[in-house]
Amino acid sequence: MKKILIGIVLVGVAVSCMDSPIDQVANTITAENLMDHIEVLSSDEFQGRATGTEGEEKTVDYLVNELQEYGLTGGAQDGGFIQDVPLVGQKTNQDAELRINTNGSATQFEYYSDFMAWPANLQEEVSIEDAELVYVGYGIQAPEENWDDFKDIDVEGKVLVVKNNDPSSKSDLFGGETRLYYGRYDYKYEKAKELGAAGVLIIHTTPSAGYSWEVVANSWSRERFYLRGNNGNEEAQTKFNGWLTKQASTELFDEAGLDLEEQLEAAESRDFEPVPLEGMSLNLNLSAEYREQEAQNVLGVIEGNNDRLKDEYVVFTAHHDHLGVTSSAEGDSINNGALDNAAGVSAVLEMAKAYKEIQPQLKRSMLFLFVGAEEVGLLGSKYWADNPTIHPGKVTANINLDGMNVYGKTRDLVLIGYDRNSVSDTIEKVTEERGRVVKPDPHPDRGYFYRSDHFPLAKKGIPAIFPNRGNEFIDKPERYSAMVDSLQDANYHNVNDEINKHWDLSGMEQDVRLFFDAAYRIANANEMQTWRNGDEFKQMRLDMIEEASSSSN
């Protein structure tokens, strides 16, 4: 009897030490396999994966081949793996001229180094002569905050000079330090168009933007894309949109007899009044060339097995494009985009492969959506959201991977969109089970929730989350986290975004396995995921679920 008891105890110990079937499959997601994809996609052969280039074609071919090899089926409406995204490309000629006349004298600003501007509404030629300028603070009209920077001033035909971001000096206004959509440049341009302004110049500072002037100049000097048919408007009065460096802005305000810092501070108050830049006028000449182009989304599907739930989906997103070839820096002109976003694509590929191994255990289906044209305005994800292959009311959740932790294991994990929906709750639960901790966005002022591909899906009501790397690194030197922050800032959107000596994919492996587990639980949950009460996307969620239910009856 004693020997039998010992045997039972030993068997129990062996079973308790074994990984669950889910863990066993998750363990096939390794740093080595993740690195393999990154090395391919960020190689010079792929030429930076820019929209509408041979590099994009190579990327799409690679993704389709991988998904087919894993045994996934195509997720496009025709049953294939590719959804074409119709675009029109705009290339602004670099001979753009911006001149400010002040009481008979003229100040010339240089394209790229002082300002960036491009024609609005897909115009080929823009010529503005002696336009009045008016500083309108943040350029925000927000009735729910009792906030109006325009105070009934007529800005029709004038050029708006606008402060970047949104008010952050008081915690009870505009979410405090958390940047809202009001703080995005898209909002500033849309508001100017609505009010009939001739154009907009946003005052750039690195703290208010969350990125350097180099990012602005590199992003807006290359070919820009728009969803075809959505932007041309011959009746719109807005002629151009643009940015102005802080130094150029200081000169502009000095010429008007104003102190820039004082004016930026004044914009923090509800009582702010628009400030005409007296005695000044703007002259601007722009031209642009256009071409029609197709970007491509790549979609792979794993079908679920529960009769009631298999028409509902978990959607993973990762953008496959980057900046391509730009101006040479130290002999290198290829923006390889290793972290942004070959890493995210690699993570989604490896999860797709692993989920296929456990397909019989999945109740809901899964869509792996590799979107194009993210770097030119989230256009691939916007197009899918407007032309979904699955009704948004049938999507339980979206997990978006844009950049990964490539610098080693961490005790923590950051969630952009933390505590806004039940997807966040599930990821937090899995994180805690693994002895780690979830933290909210450490830079809420940068508005990251509105800057990646989950945002267009969230606007359709889909509960979405955007995981980011943690900052509490394990077994790394003191101040390692600060070094990583500095390194990422220095490499963001330029030719230095390459695999380097600091990379340690043990942290990426750790995170991807965690997301794999969390999404498995979401796929097999009894109920669909939800937004918190009061969230800006809650009502759209309810509307989409009702619409999906009505269309299926």
Side-chain angles (χ1 to χ4, degrees):
M1 176 67 75
K2 189 173 182 179
K3 290 182 180 179
I4 293 174
L5 287 174
I6 292 174
I8 292 172
V9 170
L10 290 175
V11 169
V13 171
V15 169
S16 67
C17 292
M18 290 175 62
D19 290 330
S20 70
I22 302 305
D23 287 335
Q24 290 177 24
V25 175
N27 290 343
T28 66
I29 301 172
T30 65
E32 292 75 18
N33 291 341
L34 292 165
M35 181 63 87
D36 287 344
H37 297 300
I38 298 172
E39 286 178 339
V40 172
L41 292 167
S42 66
S43 67
D44 284 355
E45 178 186 353
F46 282 67
Q47 292 289 297
R49 309 187 307 279
T51 299
T53 67
E54 183 181 348
E56 182 186 40
E57 293 178 13
K58 289 179 180 290
T59 303
V60 168
D61 287 345
Y62 180 83
L63 295 174
V64 171
N65 288 338
E66 292 298 296
L67 295 176
Q68 288 177 326
E69 185 175 320
Y70 302 159
L72 274 69
T73 57
Q77 289 175 327
D78 64 358
F81 286 89
I82 295 172
Q83 180 188 49
D84 288 329
V85 180
L87 304 177
V88 56
Q90 177 195 65
K91 179 65 175 174
T92 302
N93 295 320
Q94 300 194 16
D95 57 357
E97 297 178 355
L98 173 60
R99 188 176 73 255
I100 303 294
N101 292 330
T102 311
N103 299 322
S105 65
T107 302
Q108 190 86 24
F109 288 127
E110 298 297 324
Y111 180 82
Y112 196 92
S113 57
D114 294 325
F115 80 99
M116 293 304 303
W118 54 96
N121 305 304
L122 304 183
Q123 298 171 87
E124 293 183 3
E125 301 282 342
V126 170
S127 181
I128 296 177
E129 294 184 6
D130 297 325
E132 296 178 40
L133 295 106
V134 56
Y135 171 59
V136 292
Y138 284 107
I140 292 173
Q141 289 181 320
E144 74 280 6
E145 299 279 4
N146 190 27
W147 191 282
D148 183 1
D149 282 324
F150 293 90
K151 304 293 192 299
D152 296 323
I153 188 174
D154 182 6
V155 298
E156 186 172 333
K158 299 176 183 179
V159 174
L160 308 183
V161 182
V162 183
K163 183 177 179 180
N164 197 19
N165 210 326
D166 54 43
S168 60
S169 59
K170 296 180 180 179
S171 60
D172 60 342
L173 281 175
F174 293 95
E177 293 185 356
T178 300
R179 186 183 307 226
L180 304 180
Y181 190 64
Y182 290 118
R184 294 284 292 152
Y185 59 77
D186 314 67
Y187 173 83
K188 318 286 186 182
Y189 301 146
E190 289 166 4
K191 179 57 64 174
K193 183 176 180 178
E194 175 190 328
L195 298 178
V200 188
L201 289 170
I202 298 176
I203 299 168
H204 173 271
T205 69
T206 297
S208 68
Y211 40 79
S212 68
W213 176 256
E214 181 184 35
V215 172
V216 174
N218 278 342
S219 296
W220 294 98
S221 62
R222 58 195 170 87
E223 186 175 22
R224 300 291 302 179
F225 289 90
Y226 304 88
L227 290 175
R228 199 181 304 157
N230 285 4
N231 291 274
N233 186 348
E234 295 180 359
E235 297 180 359
Q237 297 184 46
T238 306
K239 304 297 184 184
F240 78 96
N241 297 317
W243 292 81
L244 201 60
T245 66
K246 186 177 183 183
Q247 165 122 21
S249 301
T250 300
E251 292 180 33
L252 180 69
F253 278 69
D254 283 347
E255 289 287 329
L258 299 168
D259 182 271
L260 176 64
E261 295 298 337
E262 289 181 2
Q263 294 301 318
L264 294 177
E265 179 62 28
E268 293 295 321
S269 170
R270 274 197 184 97
D271 299 327
F272 169 83
E273 297 277 348
V275 181
L277 302 188
E278 301 287 358
M280 309 183 77
S281 63
L282 176 144
N283 292 267
L284 177 69
N285 289 296
L286 291 171
S287 61
E289 298 173 355
Y290 295 89
R291 66 175 177 129
E292 291 189 351
Q293 181 64 49
E294 305 291 329
Q296 293 183 316
N297 293 334
V298 178
L299 306 85
V301 166
I302 298 174
E303 187 176 15
N305 288 279
N306 182 280
D307 289 339
R308 181 176 68 88
L309 300 176
K310 68 181 180 181
D311 66 338
E312 298 175 0
Y313 285 75
V314 177
V315 176
F316 291 92
T317 48
H319 74 88
H320 62 69
D321 64 310
H322 196 55
L323 304 184
V325 180
T326 56
S327 300
S328 179
E330 298 181 1
D332 188 0
S333 59
I334 298 176
N335 296 263
N336 299 85
L339 180 61
D340 183 14
N341 187 34
V345 170
S346 175
V348 175
L349 281 173
E350 283 299 297
M351 283 193 286
K353 181 170 64 174
Y355 282 124
K356 184 61 181 176
E357 294 297 316
I358 57 168
Q359 182 174 5
Q361 300 176 50
L362 297 176
K363 293 181 179 179
R364 287 183 177 83
S365 300
M366 291 190 164
L367 170 65
F368 302 89
L369 175 57
F370 302 91
V371 294
E374 187 271 353
E375 299 288 8
V376 293
L378 311 182
L379 298 184
S381 52
K382 284 181 180 177
Y383 187 78
W384 186 88
D386 290 338
N387 303 272
T389 55
I390 303 157
H391 194 289
K394 290 291 187 180
V395 178
T396 185
N398 168 230
I399 297 176
N400 178 52
L401 299 181
D402 187 355
M404 300 295 296
N405 175 18
V406 297
Y407 295 104
K409 291 183 178 180
T410 60
R411 297 180 181 86
D412 59 336
L413 176 71
V414 169
L415 291 182
I416 309 299
Y418 172 72
D419 199 34
R420 295 185 63 163
N421 54 47
S422 57
V423 184
S424 169
D425 298 341
T426 300
I427 293 177
E428 184 169 25
K429 184 177 190 307
V430 175
T431 303
E432 290 174 350
E433 289 175 3
R434 293 168 182 247
R436 301 173 66 193
V437 61
V438 163
K439 292 182 178 178
D441 182 5
H443 302 291
D445 57 308
R446 298 183 181 181
Y448 286 135
F449 194 84
Y450 307 96
R451 288 170 55 179
S452 194
D453 290 300
H454 60 286
F455 177 46
L457 277 67
K459 288 174 72 175
K460 296 296 183 180
I462 297 170
I465 203 75
F466 176 23
N468 275 209
R469 69 166 175 82
N471 295 290
E472 297 179 13
F473 287 92
I474 300 171
D475 298 328
K476 296 294 184 181
E478 188 177 355
R479 293 190 56 77
Y480 184 78
S481 180
M483 184 275 292
V484 169
D485 286 340
S486 177
L487 193 62
Q488 288 199 173
D489 288 344
N491 293 347
Y492 177 63
H493 275 202
N494 62 49
V495 298
N496 296 318
D497 185 359
E498 300 177 326
I499 299 167
N500 61 59
K501 65 180 181 180
H502 300 287
W503 278 39
D504 173 358
L505 263 59
S506 62
M508 182 173 173
E509 175 186 281
Q510 175 191 41
D511 287 350
V512 177
R513 291 178 180 181
L514 188 157
F515 304 148
F516 179 84
D517 187 351
Y520 174 80
R521 300 185 194 192
I522 290 169
N524 286 358
N526 290 328
E527 304 297 332
M528 294 181 74
Q529 303 301 298
T530 60
W531 292 98
R532 292 279 190 270
N533 288 332
D535 193 273
E536 62 186 304
F537 304 115
K538 174 76 172 182
Q539 187 57 51
M540 179 60 75
R541 177 62 166 172
L542 297 176
D543 293 345
M544 284 294 177
I545 290 174
E546 181 178 356
E547 183 180 295
S549 177
S550 299
S551 63
S552 62
N553 291 335

